[in-house]
Amino acid sequence: MTNNYNDTKLSWESPEQMTADNNEHVYSPRFLDKKWQDRWTKDGLHSVDDNDPRPKWYELTMFPYPSGDLHIGHWYAMAPSDAHARFRKMQGYNVLHPMGFDAFGLPAENAAIKRGIHPYEWTMSNIENMRGQLKSMGTIYDWDREIICALPEYYRWNQWFFLQFYKAGLAYRAHAPANWCPSCQTVLANEQVIDGNCERCDTEVSRRDLEQWFLRITKYAEELLDFSGLLDWPERIKAMQSNWIGRSEGTHISFDISHCGLEEVELRTFTTRIDTIYGVTFVVLAPEHPLVDKLTAPEKAKEVKAYVEQARRQTEIERLSADKEKTGVFIGSYCVNRLNGEKVPIFIADYALLSYGTGIVMGVPAHDTRDFAFAQKFDLPVKVVIAPDNWNGNELEEAHIENGTQVNSGQFDGLTSDHGKDAIADYIEGQGWGERTVSYRIRDWLISRQRYWGTPIPIIYCDRCGIVPVSEDMLPVLLPEDAQFRPTGESPLRYNEGFLNTSCPACGGMAKRETDTMDTFVDSSWYHMRYTSPSYHDAPIDPKTMAKWLPVDQYTGGAEHAVMHLLYSRFFNKAIRDIGLVDYDEPYLRLFNQGTIISQNAKMSKSRGNVINPDIYVDKLGADVVRGYIMFLGPWDQGGEWSDGGINGMARWFNRLWDIVTRDVETIMETPNPEKAERDLTRLLHKTIRRVEEDYSRFKFNTALAAMMELTNYMARAWDNNQVTKSSWTSTISNLLILLAPIAPHVTEELWERMGNEYSIHNQLMPDWDKDLAQDEEITLVVQVNGKVRDKIQVEASVSEDQAKSIATESEKVKPYLQGMDIRQLIYVPGKLVNIVVS
RNA sequence: GCCCAGGUGGCGGAAGGGUAGACGCGGCGGACUUAAAAUCCGCUCUCCCUAAAAGAGGUGUGGGUUCGAAUCCCUCCCUGGGCACCA
């Protein structure tokens, strides 16, 4: 059969040339995108009803920073999540799939410094533009629920949460060395320093001592390691969070310094290897440790001071480099190892970190690689206390860090080191010299930022009353509009007299406001909650909508947020739970991480010039083709490479689909065997339904599309071969359109209407598949001899084991391989194959 | 160094103990066209062979388990990500 494809194909012409008016059969994607987007908006098709009785499904994708342009990476994150949310909706859920803007942050302020545009103007006009681009994707976002973090009605609740944390002892101020990004002109949290560089701008960070506000995430270290409240999170993300939290079990053990005549009478160290306590030959303090001054002998003072200053100057990178040669200084005093009464010299060295454990390390060169290197450098004794198996008593070439037998360990000699650990810890606890404990690598979350475009921290400093929180009824503390944007290293708010000067809420006297603003990760820690009641005035969330929607059922986004946003948000949830604001333990029950879309073998970036602008493709090919192509690239979690050739393939398939759906069924001729034609097409349809729905639920859009392509390929062939019936044809195309609707909402809506169906396809339910109808009538029986395929035979699906075996052994192609052989075994796999084992 | 995730045609990728390479891109050949584009049809892992048929080989490497391994187990190599002087 020949088709006049010119009449029915999709046209990629502009809508001016091709409108639905001048030709019913020609479709312009650009025209149709707009036609249906307008219609859906007008009908409120995607507005979400809090009172809908259907089971709820809250599907969220990480909201974008309003950089001003929606690039292909945004599409890659958002189009598949939209398809998945649509799929859930078509499974009968009441779906909330909202969108908003992570609108505070540095680029807005940098634009102000560079170009004199106010951050508010810059941000809001970017949002305006991006909202339009987001709408062009054809997503089901309910724009009535949009949130913008930079607006006072949002950030006042950041301040409100901060005050609750302050009251609960979860927010505190401390003077501490902090990571300073000289380019961003602000401090950063530990999570925002990647390999010693700023997470945003990649500039090397330095250290700066400042008064800073912290949130006490360490209080939740143990609970954050417990992922049992999550339904489905990637193991990788859980591993990254576990790594970051860095739990290690060990013992606190103190060394006696009572002979020094100080107020302090002991040095507390943390060790995971208490079994090696008899091998201590030195103790190391972190250079910044407060006891350093007190313990330094006068004759060493100069040398120690020089070392401390040099250590402070070092950047994070220099200091943490593992291959760096050990440095340090003997400070001229000693402590006593209480277990054996030995006198132990005290050093300072920068490999001891003030912020981990107690800031003091017991040096056991025989059994720790770092201590070994230090001992070599300073010619300190290496005392073996854990004998390796078959140890001959010689000196060690390197540290023996594995297990062994306790030696030179007093009463513990002869125990295995495992037993030694327990016995020594018991003994120490009994003597009151220390106790078993757990140490974590994670530090409290530093939220102060010395920048303008963020949430003002609602704190007032009064000379008489000290630190005074702003009272709740005075919120929000508004960002002043008229700030001077100068990169001074201090918040621009400090130079704004009108903002800075205020009166003390306690005594009414003159006082000054905190001028730092909050890390923007505070905004994203609870934004998912605000979507449920974006304009609620009495609290961050309406308790009614909270109970209805939260927690989030499915969250999607990039893995780069594993130890930043995702960890902060989990902490935030647990903290506000303990304050009594929510009653669940985890904010995001299921998490799926999409990969990265690349182009020309590299991440897209302006400097590489390999950036793909989606608008051009949307304009030419329509949103559905771009959506479909992005989902067809490969498995969503593995990312993929953009190719222009590839997207044309997707456009071609939509073209063929359009052709198939718009064929006139009245021209179908009588087929010789209508029952068989009907059964065959129906069978493939039901197999396709099964595959597509399984694939959607696992985010395998690529194979779902492949299944639908196989179906259209079959249909085109069957039509040409006169092997279709009107009824199966019609029912197959309407089911196919429903299956495809989550990926391609516009084309399917248009074709659905053209078939004469009731508006809207997006209110249809996903079809069920029928096991019997999907059942094969014939199968290909594979016949192997010793595991090698020798024949493939079409047989009835109902074939019995005996029948299959005899068909296999009697195959003409197989017989030569059986000649003169003994059949040892016949393996039968029902519905699949027979393997004849011969020798 | 430790912990994850990967390695399959020219390319993106299917298959997660049972026909390796679905689906798509690219390529080749053909139809339509004055021609081109678009569209449609056919072929497209490698070797052997004039060709077909039939063989043989083939999923990073080397071993193992199994009637049968891309798939499970062990060794090593490579790629990407995370942690790393954390005591």
Side-chain angles (χ1 to χ4, degrees):
Chain A
M1 129 132 231
T2 55
N3 284 301
N4 188 350
Y5 291 99
N6 288 328
D7 275 354
T8 53
K9 72 173 183 183
L10 281 135
S11 157
W12 314 120
E13 301 303 315
S14 68
E16 291 75 28
Q17 290 164 295
M18 295 288 179
T19 64
D21 297 332
N22 62 29
N23 190 335
E24 260 293 290
H25 297 286
V26 175
Y27 149 61
S28 155
R30 189 158 70 162
F31 172 76
L32 269 198
D33 283 3
K34 186 166 183 338
K35 167 184 166 186
W36 288 112
Q37 285 165 19
D38 289 350
R39 173 84 187 269
W40 297 330
T41 305
K42 183 174 126 272
D43 299 342
L45 191 69
H46 303 313
S47 74
V48 181
D49 179 2
D50 291 329
N51 299 313
D52 190 307
R54 291 175 297 174
K56 68 99 180 180
W57 183 264
Y58 186 177
E59 177 136 3
L60 182 65
T61 189
M62 293 177 187
F63 65 167
Y65 178 79
S67 57
D69 193 36
L70 200 74
H71 55 75
I72 202 76
H74 291 115
W75 274 76
Y76 193 71
M78 292 167 182
S81 68
D82 178 66
H84 191 262
R86 285 173 173 276
F87 169 63
R88 284 281 180 247
K89 198 173 174 186
M90 294 176 80
Q91 283 186 314
Y93 290 94
N94 182 29
V95 170
L96 175 61
H97 184 52
M99 185 45 65
F101 296 95
D102 189 11
F104 268 141
L106 281 182
E109 196 168 341
N110 291 339
I113 294 167
K114 239 197 235 163
R115 288 182 278 157
I117 312 163
H118 194 278
Y120 177 86
E121 303 297 333
W122 187 86
T123 303
M124 294 311 276
S125 87
N126 283 351
I127 287 175
E128 190 62 32
N129 189 46
M130 285 176 83
R131 197 188 288 121
Q133 290 175 303
L134 282 164
K135 286 180 176 173
S136 78
M137 294 173 71
T139 50
I140 57 171
Y141 306 139
D142 178 353
W143 288 101
D144 291 340
R145 292 171 182 265
E146 177 195 67
I147 57 172
I148 297 174
C149 297
L151 299 179
E153 53 262 40
Y154 187 85
Y155 72 69
R156 69 173 295 174
W157 300 114
N158 283 344
Q159 295 171 339
W160 185 87
F161 279 121
F162 180 90
L163 294 176
Q164 313 310 311
F165 288 162
Y166 184 75
K167 266 193 272 179
L170 291 170
Y172 66 95
R173 190 166 185 252
H175 184 83
N179 307 298
W180 175 262
C181 173
S183 161
C184 295
Q185 292 279 314
T186 182
V187 297
L188 303 169
N190 284 309
E191 288 78 14
Q192 290 149 35
V193 180
I194 314 289
D195 291 332
N197 294 330
C198 171
E199 173 258 333
R200 296 198 40 82
C201 68
D202 219 31
T203 306
E204 189 174 310
V205 303
S206 53
R207 283 153 36 101
R208 198 174 261 208
D209 291 339
L210 290 169
E211 288 282 339
Q212 305 287 329
W213 283 96
F214 293 87
L215 295 186
R216 215 178 282 284
I217 192 171
T218 53
K219 186 182 170 194
Y220 290 90
E222 195 62 42
E223 198 191 339
L224 288 167
L225 282 170
D226 175 9
F227 301 105
S228 61
L230 303 171
L231 292 180
D232 188 16
W233 269 43
E235 290 304 320
R236 190 166 55 112
I237 301 293
K238 293 193 254 183
M240 281 164 74
Q241 294 199 349
S242 298
N243 265 340
W244 187 259
I245 295 166
R247 181 184 202 275
S248 45
E249 289 184 15
T251 310
H252 276 149
I253 171 71
S254 66
F255 289 74
D256 189 7
I257 51 167
S258 54
H259 56 276
C260 296
L262 298 173
E263 187 188 334
E264 295 82 1
V265 295
E266 57 182 32
L267 290 182
R268 249 168 113 69
T269 69
F270 172 75
T271 180
T272 55
R273 290 297 303 274
I274 195 62
D275 52 314
T276 66
I277 183 69
Y278 285 86
V280 174
T281 58
F282 60 96
V283 161
V284 181
L285 272 68
E288 315 89 328
H289 198 283
L291 280 172
V292 170
D293 276 350
K294 295 183 181 177
L295 287 169
T296 301
E299 72 274 15
K300 295 281 183 184
K302 214 173 147 190
E303 199 186 340
V304 167
K305 190 167 174 245
Y307 183 80
V308 171
E309 272 173 14
Q310 173 255 314
R312 294 187 80 78
R313 270 199 311 273
Q314 286 194 40
T315 65
E316 196 82 352
I317 291 198
E318 287 161 354
R319 178 153 175 184
L320 292 182
S321 155
D323 342 304
K324 204 188 86 177
E325 211 183 314
K326 291 280 174 292
T327 61
V329 174
F330 174 51
I331 65 173
S333 54
Y334 295 84
C335 57
V336 174
N337 182 348
R338 285 168 160 150
L339 282 98
N340 55 13
E342 278 176 19
K343 197 173 144 195
V344 179
I346 303 173
F347 285 73
I348 56 170
D350 61 6
Y351 86 88
L353 307 174
L354 184 64
S355 49
Y356 185 77
T358 62
I360 309 177
V361 179
M362 61 178 223
V364 186
H367 307 294
D368 181 279
T369 336
R370 297 151 301 183
D371 298 344
F372 188 86
F374 191 81
Q376 297 263 295
K377 179 87 188 275
F378 292 91
D379 214 15
L380 294 159
V382 176
K383 183 182 169 194
V384 176
V385 292
I386 307 295
D389 294 343
N390 308 317
W391 183 48
N392 55 14
N394 289 348
E395 272 184 33
L396 298 177
E397 299 281 315
E398 53 180 18
H400 172 74
I401 55 173
E402 291 84 24
N403 290 338
T405 310
Q406 301 279 158
V407 293
N408 297 320
S409 298
Q411 56 182 300
F412 304 101
D413 278 358
L415 293 178
T416 63
S417 50
D418 273 344
H419 284 126
K421 253 182 208 153
D422 264 336
I424 295 174
D426 284 344
Y427 179 69
I428 285 167
E429 286 180 346
Q431 296 291 320
W433 296 338
E435 66 288 317
R436 288 178 172 86
T437 187
V438 177
S439 238
Y440 300 93
R441 208 190 70 99
I442 191 172
R443 317 273 202 274
D444 279 335
W445 177 13
L446 197 175
I447 59 158
S448 301
R449 295 293 178 272
Q450 290 70 42
R451 298 298 299 236
Y452 166 80
W453 193 233
T455 305
I457 295 173
I459 287 290
I460 291 167
Y461 301 102
C462 169
D463 283 343
R464 278 199 289 179
C465 311
I467 297 175
V468 185
V470 173
S471 68
E472 283 180 28
D473 53 13
M474 296 297 284
L475 297 182
V477 176
L478 285 173
L479 265 184
E481 283 173 30
D482 57 337
Q484 294 269 336
F485 302 108
R486 290 175 302 186
T488 60
E490 284 184 304
S491 168
L493 297 178
R494 174 148 299 182
Y495 304 98
N496 187 301
E497 299 288 326
F499 178 85
L500 180 66
N501 296 313
T502 184
S503 57
C504 170
C507 70
M510 298 241 296
K512 294 200 186 306
R513 287 191 188 278
E514 167 67 59
T515 55
D516 285 352
T517 53
M518 294 184 202
D519 183 359
T520 56
F521 281 112
V522 173
D523 308 358
S524 52
S525 290
W526 66 281
Y527 77 116
H528 60 286
M529 305 173 75
R530 188 67 182 169
Y531 282 126
T532 67
S533 50
S535 47
Y536 191 66
H537 284 294
D538 302 333
I541 327 106
D542 180 344
K544 286 205 296 288
T545 61
M546 178 167 67
K548 163 82 189 182
W549 290 109
L550 292 168
V552 172
D553 295 289
Q554 179 71 61
Y555 198 28
T556 63
E560 66 275 15
H561 288 295
V563 295
M564 292 189 274
H565 162 59
L566 288 169
L567 194 58
Y568 295 144
S569 196
R570 288 183 67 218
F571 152 67
F572 209 92
N573 191 94
K574 292 171 194 305
I576 63 175
R577 175 203 60 199
D578 289 349
I579 291 169
L581 300 173
V582 299
D583 60 2
Y584 50 87
D585 298 324
E586 295 284 354
Y588 314 114
L589 296 178
R590 298 173 192 80
L591 175 70
F592 190 93
N593 293 119
Q594 80 269 3
T596 310
I597 187 163
I598 59 171
S599 133
Q600 293 158 40
N601 288 313
K603 260 191 167 163
M604 292 183 207
S605 71
K606 278 181 193 151
S607 56
R608 281 199 195 86
N610 61 346
V611 176
I612 301 294
N613 177 0
D615 295 353
I616 293 168
Y617 296 90
V618 173
D619 222 31
K620 201 165 91 184
L621 305 175
D624 291 336
V625 171
V626 180
R627 290 170 63 107
Y629 176 58
I630 271 172
M631 291 185 236
F632 187 63
L633 275 179
W636 196 29
D637 52 343
Q638 281 169 38
E641 164 132 25
W642 179 275
S643 107
D644 281 359
I647 195 170
N648 285 331
M650 185 54 62
R652 282 212 285 268
W653 181 63
F654 274 88
N655 204 346
R656 287 199 295 276
L657 175 80
W658 180 273
D659 162 53
I660 283 170
V661 176
T662 54
R663 287 181 191 183
D664 183 358
V665 286
E666 296 310 320
T667 65
I668 292 176
M669 287 179 295
E670 193 104 335
T671 170
N673 189 344
E675 288 79 13
K676 179 164 172 21
E678 179 109 14
R679 274 201 311 275
D680 286 348
L681 184 53
T682 305
R683 182 183 317 111
L684 184 58
L685 171 66
H686 281 258
K687 284 176 158 180
T688 305
I689 295 170
R690 182 182 63 198
R691 282 177 66 186
V692 169
E693 295 183 4
E694 272 176 19
D695 287 349
Y696 278 169
S697 56
R698 295 180 302 149
F699 296 97
K700 295 274 187 187
F701 305 103
N702 57 329
T703 46
L705 277 160
M708 290 185 270
M709 287 173 177
E710 283 180 55
L711 179 60
T712 55
N713 289 349
Y714 174 86
M715 290 175 80
R717 236 181 2 254
W719 178 288
D720 289 351
N721 296 336
N722 194 23
Q723 282 171 353
V724 292
T725 63
K726 286 177 195 174
S727 65
S728 62
W729 182 266
T730 308
S731 117
T732 300
I733 57 178
S734 56
N735 280 297
L736 171 60
L737 290 176
I738 294 172
L739 288 177
L740 182 61
I743 290 177
H746 309 86
V747 181
T748 52
E749 184 80 291
E750 175 71 16
L751 290 171
W752 183 254
E753 185 188 60
R754 284 176 184 235
M755 284 181 71
N757 292 306
E758 194 185 326
Y759 174 82
S760 156
I761 191 172
H762 303 300
N763 289 331
Q764 305 304 309
L765 287 175
M766 279 284 141
D768 290 323
W769 62 277
D770 184 305
K771 199 168 165 239
D772 293 330
L773 293 176
Q775 189 64 48
D776 280 312
E777 285 172 24
E778 278 196 331
I779 54 149
T780 305
L781 185 72
V782 174
V783 184
Q784 298 181 332
V785 178
N786 286 347
K788 284 192 190 300
V789 178
R790 296 302 178 188
D791 199 4
K792 298 170 189 178
I793 307 166
Q794 288 300 118
V795 299
E796 297 277 310
S798 58
V799 69
S800 72
E801 177 166 352
D802 289 344
Q803 284 169 328
K805 284 178 175 172
S806 67
I807 290 167
T809 46
E810 278 155 30
S811 152
E812 289 305 320
K813 287 185 186 166
V814 165
K815 274 184 180 166
Y817 295 96
L818 305 180
Q819 209 84 63
M821 298 293 214
D822 287 339
I823 296 182
R824 315 283 297 224
Q825 205 182 341
L826 282 172
I827 310 278
Y828 175 63
V829 181
K832 291 217 166 115
L833 98 170
V834 172
N835 187 11
I836 306 165
V837 185
V838 299
S839 63

